[in-house]
Amino acid sequence: MEEQRSDRFAVTVSVGDRAVDVRAVGEVDIATVGTLRAALWSAPARPVLRLHLAGVRLLSAAGVRAVVAAHLRIRAQGGELVLVEPTPTVLRVLRATGLHRVVPIVGGDPTQATGGGFAGRQRPGQPGDLPVELVA
């Protein structure tokens, strides 16, 4: 597990066989987005990268851009970015930007998701994958 920390933001990365878990805590703004971006870009390729947002109090436009860039990069490699348990504040940002229609979002129950990953259809499960059911 790798950890990067500042006064306002911390991120940890855990690598498994089929997924990478990136846990962010604090505020993602212009001053801290570099730390998040570095964690997302340095994560090894796996079928799923889960970005845990339960500890994120603020997601600025710079943070949204970092998430979009990570989504595009991971998708180009044949993987998928999944946002996990965004706080209500972060969820409002994701909805306002339309990102919730592009990147799957899972809450406390990992079988429920909002978002448009898999182009609105359920993807066949792979052993070790996070189960995701899309809601249109």
Side-chain angles (χ1 to χ4, degrees):
M1 183 181 318
E2 181 182 323
E3 181 175 5
Q4 296 179 17
R5 178 174 294 277
S6 74
D7 291 343
R8 294 180 29 230
F9 184 72
V11 63
T12 58
V13 178
S14 304
V15 180
D17 290 338
R18 303 229 7 111
V20 174
D21 288 285
V22 176
R23 287 181 169 75
V25 177
E27 298 177 1
V28 182
D29 60 17
I30 194 69
T32 61
V33 71
T35 303
L36 176 63
R37 189 180 310 114
L40 293 171
W41 284 79
S42 67
R46 296 291 188 274
V48 178
L49 188 147
R50 292 184 290 249
L51 176 55
H52 298 261
L53 299 168
V56 175
R57 297 181 304 271
L58 174 109
L59 183 67
S60 71
V64 170
R65 284 191 301 273
V67 171
V68 169
H71 162 71
L72 293 173
R73 178 177 169 267
I74 293 163
R75 188 176 69 183
Q77 295 173 343
E80 179 165 44
L81 174 65
V82 177
L83 306 178
V84 180
E85 296 185 339
T87 60
T89 301
V90 170
L91 188 55
R92 280 192 297 276
V93 170
L94 297 173
R95 286 186 174 147
T97 60
L99 198 53
H100 72 293
R101 294 187 180 131
V102 178
V103 180
I105 300 171
V106 296
D109 178 359
T111 63
Q112 299 300 311
T114 63
F118 318 129
R121 59 183 162 71
Q122 189 166 358
R123 184 183 76 165
Q126 298 289 325
D129 271 3
L130 179 71
V132 176
E133 179 184 304
L134 298 174
V135 178

